[in-house]
Amino acid sequence: KRIILLRHAESKDIEGMRDHDRPVSDQGRQQAAQVAKMLKERGWTPDLVLASNSKRTKQTLDEMAEVMHELADVDAHYYGSLYTVAALDGQTRDHIVECLLEVCDDARNRVIMCVGHNKGWEEAASQLAGQAVKLRTASAALLQCYAPSWKDVLKL
């Protein structure tokens, strides 16, 4: 089983715009394409996506799908709560796990990608990896575990 924890691509800061509505920048589009290429080359094509419902997260996935065409047909679930919880200390990992277990299937889902925001994504990646993980924009933590079920992977 594999989990990809991906931080969204770089976004624009536009005065007066809600953080949730910020779009991906031109550099962010390039970043998203690069990370998609890297994941594809490594054979880490997700079969399930869990993502924040922010504009920049959706645009990151759209840009990635231009390179990783399989992504266009992947079952994707967008959660407002993944946007909100990323700002709260130490709660992101448990919430990602909760969302993941709601929708994943042990037989069907082998690679799950979770797309969201710092600081929560770094905290969750660090907790799952058992070591400090830094996630810049459009960077991913690739976590792999040999286990029969997602509950075993997540040590529940």
Side-chain angles (χ1 to χ4, degrees), residues 12 14-15 20 26 33 37 75-76 99 117 148:
K12 296 178 185 178
I14 300 173
E15 190 174 330
H20 188 272
D26 290 339
K37 182 178 181 223
D75 187 18
C99 294
H117 311 270

Side-chain angles (χ1 to χ4, degrees), residues 53-72:
N53 68 350
S54 75
K55 182 171 189 170
R56 61 189 176 274
T57 334
K58 291 177 181 177
Q59 287 182 332
T60 297
L61 287 165
D62 290 345
E63 291 297 325
M64 290 177 71
E66 294 293 320
V67 173
M68 185 186 277
H69 303 290
E70 307 89 336
L71 220 87

Side-chain angles (χ1 to χ4, degrees), residues 3-11 31 35 38-39 42 44 50 56-57 82 86 92-93 96 112-129 131-143:
I3 298 176
I4 303 164
L5 287 177
L6 174 70
R7 185 172 170 206
H8 63 79
E10 181 186 270
S11 58
Q31 290 174 335
V35 75
M38 180 273 301
L39 290 172
R42 294 182 184 202
W44 282 64
L50 306 177
R56 61 189 176 274
T57 334
L82 288 176
T92 304
R93 179 205 176 271
I96 290 171
I112 297 175
M113 183 164 66
C114 302
V115 187
H117 311 270
N118 266 351
K119 72 181 172 178
W121 249 240
E122 278 186 355
E123 288 177 351
S126 298
Q127 290 167 350
L128 289 167
Q131 64 185 45
V133 174
K134 290 286 181 201
L135 292 175
R136 292 184 211 113
T137 54
S139 61
L142 309 179
L143 307 169

Side-chain angles (χ1 to χ4, degrees), residues 85-92 119 123:
V85 77
L88 305 175
D89 285 334
Q91 296 184 32
T92 304
K119 72 181 172 178
E123 288 177 351

